[in-house]
Amino acid sequence: MTQLDRNSLRVTVGDVTRELPTVRVGSVGRVPLVEFIGDSEFTNAAAQAMLPLIPPGTEVLLTVVTNALPLTHEISDRSGLPYVVARKKRRTYMQDPLIQDVPSMTLGVAETLWLDGPHAARLKGKRVTIVQDVVASGGTARALARLVERAGGTVAGYLAAFKQGTSNLPLTYLQELPESL
Amino acid sequence: MTQLDRNSLRVTVGDVTRELPTVRVGSVGRVPLVEFIGDSEFTNAAAQAMLPLIPPGTEVLLTVVTNALPLTHEISDRSGLPYVVARKKRRTYMQDPLIQDVPSMTLGVAETLWLDGPHAARLKGKRVTIVQDVVASGGTARALARLVERAGGTVAGYLAAFKQGTSNLPLTYLQELPESL
């Protein structure tokens, strides 16, 4: 990882190199922006590199819309493990969804996760790994873990492409990104 | 395609068969529910089958979150064409986004699409194909086409896994789904 200046951070995953733009976030300063969406080459390189980091015994992957969606699809495809996706809005078609709040560290506003009943059933009795693109505070990861438990599964571990911050989750990840530049 | 009963519709794409659940929608009756999210095998089969349907001359693919996201990632990966994604919410990091309303036929409530400025720039001067999982009224497809034009690109065509309804878009698709069962 190479910091080019305050506006850009160079990251290499496998044989793919990207210059991540940085964006201003409140008074924190500039933070690097990871975008797997719209970049299938970078997504595939990260998925491939994450395969050996999947916790042993994992039977199902769980993620949440939107940014980690192509990444988790690709890890599922390459590992053969099925994946399940929580949503951030109620969908009209959901049947008996599990509803889980995510306390936000930065804004004090709770976000809500929705897991459709038929998808929750796919976690029951399974060892489930939480997959995310970037783990910062760990609040979303903890909310996903709570969904696993409420669905009758057990958490096998936490897997992310990037760690950015000081969460004390037992997380496996490819690289650590600076919190601000 | 085989209608098993009012609660299920069997669909085969390539060598993958799925029984789509149906969900009640207002007074319309039951409509089949296509879910590529959480199903990498079905996603891959659809992406592979859609490759020959990509309009000639296409240089970039454009889709919108969320349901078609893994599908478009996979079509991008297999075709080598880059893809761009419009969002349905403003993101804090967006720079000079294009903002486009989608008139809704069913509810009379407008949805809004957001295309980040750097992503809009990737459409400029390009022949762009709109990619969706399901095209029903065509309202979202038309809003995406408008984004292409406003970004300085031209629409090469419209590609969907399924057509469901009577839009008069020049759409290429794999199969037609019944509007209600």
Side-chain angles (χ1 to χ4, degrees), chain B residues 30-118:
Chain B
R30 302 192 71 85
V31 301
L33 177 65
V34 176
E35 281 197 292
F36 285 115
I37 288 179
D39 192 340
S40 58
E41 193 184 22
F42 190 42
T43 300
N44 291 349
Q48 187 63 36
M50 289 164 76
L51 289 182
L53 304 182
I54 298 173
T58 298
E59 295 173 292
V60 184
L61 308 171
L62 175 67
T63 192
V64 60
V65 293
T66 309
N67 292 332
L69 197 45
L71 179 67
T72 309
H73 158 85
E74 199 61 52
I75 294 171
S76 168
D77 184 27
R78 288 165 190 247
S79 66
L81 295 168
Y83 78 107
V84 169
V85 180
R87 312 294 296 242
K88 291 184 179 174
K89 283 198 297 194
R90 182 174 194 127
R91 320 300 297 194
T92 50
Y93 56 76
M94 285 183 171
Q95 297 166 34
D96 302 321
L98 296 179
I99 306 166
Q100 180 67 45
D101 272 353
V102 184
S104 166
M105 306 290 180
T106 45
L107 297 172
V109 178
E111 192 169 50
T112 304
L113 306 187
W114 302 79
L115 182 61
D116 196 4

Side-chain angles (χ1 to χ4, degrees), chain A residues 23 33 35-40 43-44 65-67 69-70 73-74 76-77 83 85 87 91 93 119 122, chain B residues 23 33 35-40 43-44 65-67 69-70 73-74 76-77 83 85 87 93 119 122:
Chain A
V23 291
L33 177 66
E35 281 196 293
F36 286 115
I37 288 180
D39 191 341
S40 58
T43 300
N44 292 349
V65 293
T66 309
N67 293 332
L69 198 46
H73 158 85
E74 199 61 51
S76 168
D77 183 28
Y83 78 106
V85 180
R87 310 295 295 243
R91 320 301 297 195
Y93 56 76
H119 295 310
R122 297 170 61 201
Chain B
V23 291
L33 177 65
E35 281 197 292
F36 285 115
I37 288 179
D39 192 340
S40 58
T43 300
N44 291 349
V65 293
T66 309
N67 292 332
L69 197 45
H73 158 85
E74 199 61 52
S76 168
D77 184 27
Y83 78 107
V85 180
R87 312 294 296 242
Y93 56 76
H119 295 310
R122 297 170 61 200

Side-chain angles (χ1 to χ4, degrees), chain A residues 36 46-47 50 53-55 58 60-65 67-76 79 81-86 128-135 140-141 144-145 148 155 157-161 171-172:
Chain A
F36 286 115
M50 289 164 77
L53 304 182
I54 298 173
T58 298
V60 185
L61 309 171
L62 175 66
T63 191
V64 61
V65 293
N67 293 332
L69 198 46
L71 179 68
T72 309
H73 158 85
E74 199 61 51
I75 295 171
S76 168
S79 66
L81 295 169
Y83 78 106
V84 169
V85 180
V128 181
T129 287
I130 313 293
V131 180
Q132 292 180 269
D133 53 341
V134 180
V135 167
T140 301
L144 288 166
V148 171
V155 175
Y158 300 85
L159 175 62
L171 178 72
T172 52

